[in-house]
Amino acid sequence: MPVVAVVNRKGGSGKSTLATHLSAYCAHNGIPVMLGDVDKQQSTQAWLRLRSQQAVTNKAPIVGWTVDARSVLRSPPGVTHVILDTPGGLRGFELARVAMFADAIIMPVCNSVFDRESAADCFAELMALPRVASGKCKVAAVGMRLDARTKADETLRDWASKHKIPFIGVLRETQGYVRCVEQGLTLFDLPASKVEADLLQWQPILQWLQPVLHPKPAAPLTRPVATGMSPAPAGNRAASLKPAQVSLLAPDHPEPAPGTPATPPRTAKPQPSAAPARSGSVAGRLGSWLESFSVSRLLQR
């Protein structure tokens, strides 16, 4: 189950706007997606309630988390992707846990010295984590709310280059985003002809996320075939078998030679039972992570 997390320590950077748009993109492309909101403000859940009142035709549903005292996270059947909107101020163990669950992390960055320095510190901490350093969890920055009349785009790209942060696109400041969010909509819900310029800015971002949102199926495992075997002696029935079949014979029960009295087979020693497999459910792991946050009792009711 691919997980994309939107992370920024600084509030007001556009995390919820980015998360809701990515969820709507998935829904319009037939990807059942769960929009997870770990922020105490529950902004994306409020957006989902507004969206339920709109006549939006999606190819797949967008579902949110159900937060209560018994089950912090309930993953509905059929959900294949998770978009995670995280709270501000993530650092240390909590930031490491996000990287542990996510396949990609997007950092929305506004063009101010405070936003840039905060994002640079967060990126440096992420790169110190083994899963990010090894490339299993990709990280990139997106410029948010940029004024097209200024050199904000150039400033952010120079900043990203200086800190060696992958910079995958910019989203300009426009009232289209504000009006959409207030109605539970996104630019992907509007006629493309009306928001063509803004949708073009999403193309490099979606292209970077393509391997995560549409992962290639894993190749089936094949049994290794033994090669380079020496000829079997005459009279041994293994000589007529193919190498792959020979490799399946028990090595401690050879074929007895003609005229040799048969010996009773050795009793195999009982093997210790395997430890119970740990649940691989991403929803379960995300739920345990969410439990580590101080979720208010009001939300648990």
Side-chain angles (χ1 to χ4, degrees):
M1 181 183 292
V3 177
V4 178
V6 183
V7 175
N8 190 306
R9 289 175 177 168
K10 194 172 181 301
S13 60
K15 294 191 299 292
S16 297
T17 298
L18 203 55
T20 52
H21 274 72
L22 289 175
S23 299
Y25 169 80
C26 290
H28 279 288
N29 284 271
I31 301 175
V33 61
M34 182 165 63
L35 179 57
D37 195 338
V38 192
D39 197 338
K40 293 180 180 180
Q41 295 180 359
Q42 297 287 288
S43 301
T44 57
Q45 301 311 301
W47 176 83
L48 282 174
R49 288 192 294 271
L50 292 172
R51 188 176 183 82
S52 65
Q53 303 171 11
Q54 302 292 335
V56 180
T57 303
N58 293 327
K59 295 182 180 179
I62 304 175
V63 296
W65 276 342
T66 300
V67 181
D68 58 35
R70 295 163 300 180
S71 177
V72 176
L73 174 61
R74 293 175 181 173
S75 177
V79 168
T80 61
H81 291 57
V82 173
I83 306 297
L84 189 62
D85 186 14
T86 64
L90 278 184
R91 61 182 70 249
F93 181 68
E94 299 304 340
L95 184 63
R97 295 194 73 177
V98 171
M100 189 190 330
F101 300 135
D103 299 288
I105 293 177
I106 295 183
M107 301 172 55
V109 184
C110 297
N111 184 34
S112 76
V113 64
F114 305 109
D115 288 81
R116 294 194 299 268
E117 291 305 315
S118 175
D121 291 341
C122 184
F123 179 77
E125 186 174 348
L126 283 170
M127 288 305 299
L129 302 175
R131 195 161 186 271
V132 177
S134 64
K136 294 180 180 179
C137 177
K138 306 194 303 178
V139 182
V142 173
M144 296 291 291
R145 302 171 181 167
L146 300 189
D147 190 339
R149 299 168 298 179
T150 66
K151 296 183 178 181
D153 184 350
E154 181 180 345
T155 301
L156 277 179
R157 292 185 185 276
D158 291 343
W159 162 81
S161 176
K162 174 184 176 182
H163 294 279
K164 299 181 180 180
I165 302 175
F167 193 79
I168 57 176
V170 298
L171 300 179
R172 67 171 182 165
E173 184 178 16
T174 173
Q175 286 298 309
Y177 289 102
V178 178
R179 290 194 295 267
C180 283
V181 170
E182 289 181 351
Q183 302 176 55
L185 299 174
T186 68
L187 298 183
F188 297 108
D189 301 312
L190 305 180
S193 58
K194 294 185 177 181
V195 289
E196 183 177 0
D198 292 310
L199 291 180
L200 284 175
Q201 293 187 324
W202 277 90
Q203 292 308 309
I205 301 172
L206 298 174
Q207 184 177 1
W208 183 81
L209 284 172
Q210 194 74 5
V212 177
L213 298 179
H214 303 280
K216 295 181 179 180
L221 296 177
T222 57
R223 195 183 190 90
V225 179
T227 57
M229 299 184 62
S230 58
N236 192 332
R237 64 183 176 87
S240 61
L241 298 178
K242 296 180 180 179
Q245 295 172 304
V246 174
S247 63
L248 300 180
L249 295 178
D252 53 349
H253 294 290
E255 185 75 11
T260 304
T263 57
R266 293 185 297 175
T267 304
K269 296 181 179 180
Q271 298 294 329
S273 58
R278 187 181 65 175
S279 173
S281 170
V282 173
R285 290 184 287 127
L286 287 174
S288 64
W289 172 61
L290 184 58
E291 287 177 344
S292 65
F293 286 93
S294 55
V295 180
S296 66
R297 287 296 174 184
L298 177 61
L299 296 177
Q300 294 181 355
R301 295 176 182 174

